[in-house]
Amino acid sequence: MEVNENETRAKARKILSRYRYYLRVASKEMDYLFALRSNELRDGPIYHSNRNSYEDAFINMLSKVDNRKREALEFIAEIDEAIEMLPSLSSKILTYAYCQKEKNTMNDIAAKIIVSKRDSYGQEVKVQYSVKNIERVKAIALLEFAEIYREGALLVWK
């Protein structure tokens, strides 16, 4: 069986493109007042009860926020762990492309990744990758990520 590379890359892109959303969710400060503005909290009791329904609703709302934040942190940790297991260049490219607050174009990524090589005279020369090379390495990096993430759960077989 062979891996369907196009569909596998598409699934990896879909997972990685959600990283910024979860980063925003995880970095939000808990707004305790939003629960008070919620539609779930009403002005008066619907029926008589000895329980404090306002307090229960408030705690319920806060636990929903806490669960979303926890899920976001778990998702981010999974992605970060998988990216750390990739080769250095692949890791850098996927991090610049998907895991930063600002979106980076291929030109931005190519400008940020500079490699030092020695020329024939033994002097160190800084070399910048072309956009085409970055695109090629990114395609390979997406396949590598799909293999590593959740032990190959993103792989699509032909």
Side-chain angles (χ1 to χ4, degrees):
M1 287 178 44
E2 293 181 32
V3 173
N4 186 336
E5 292 182 0
N6 291 333
E7 289 184 29
T8 300
R9 278 194 291 266
K11 285 179 82 173
R13 268 188 225 101
K14 186 176 180 179
I15 291 291
L16 287 167
S17 65
R18 292 174 27 207
Y19 187 93
R20 284 188 189 92
Y21 165 75
Y22 282 108
L23 191 63
R24 286 190 302 271
V25 170
S27 65
K28 280 185 181 176
E29 292 294 322
M30 289 218 359
D31 182 11
Y32 296 104
L33 296 177
F34 90 96
L36 295 174
R37 295 185 298 264
S38 169
N39 290 335
E40 292 184 22
L41 295 178
R42 308 226 178 349
D43 289 337
I46 297 173
Y47 57 89
H48 178 69
S49 173
N50 291 334
R51 297 188 60 184
N52 188 343
S53 61
Y54 294 115
E55 183 178 303
D56 291 343
F58 186 71
I59 290 170
N60 187 24
M61 291 293 291
L62 292 180
S63 67
K64 286 179 186 176
V65 171
D66 196 38
N67 287 341
R68 281 187 63 209
K69 192 169 188 171
R70 185 176 29 78
E71 289 171 7
L73 288 171
E74 289 172 2
F75 178 83
I76 289 170
E78 279 183 339
I79 299 275
D80 288 344
E81 182 180 329
I83 287 177
E84 284 177 12
M85 296 173 75
L86 295 173
S88 177
L89 183 59
S90 299
S91 174
K92 285 179 186 177
I93 290 174
L94 290 184
T95 300
Y96 288 139
Y98 298 103
C99 301
Q100 291 187 336
K101 289 182 182 179
E102 304 85 26
K103 282 192 174 186
N104 291 307
T105 64
M106 284 297 169
N107 288 330
D108 295 337
I109 296 170
K112 289 180 180 181
I113 297 178
I114 298 173
V115 180
S116 297
K117 292 189 176 184
R118 298 224 178 254
D119 63 5
S120 58
Y121 300 110
Q123 295 178 347
E124 193 171 302
V125 178
K126 304 274 185 191
V127 179
Q128 184 175 340
Y129 282 96
S130 69
V131 172
K132 202 66 169 166
N133 279 340
I134 294 292
E135 288 174 354
R136 190 167 20 94
V137 174
K138 182 180 174 187
I140 295 168
L142 287 168
L143 290 174
E144 292 171 340
F145 174 80
E147 291 172 359
I148 292 172
Y149 182 75
R150 292 188 180 173
E151 299 174 1
L154 300 178
L155 295 174
V156 177
W157 302 97
K158 288 184 181 179

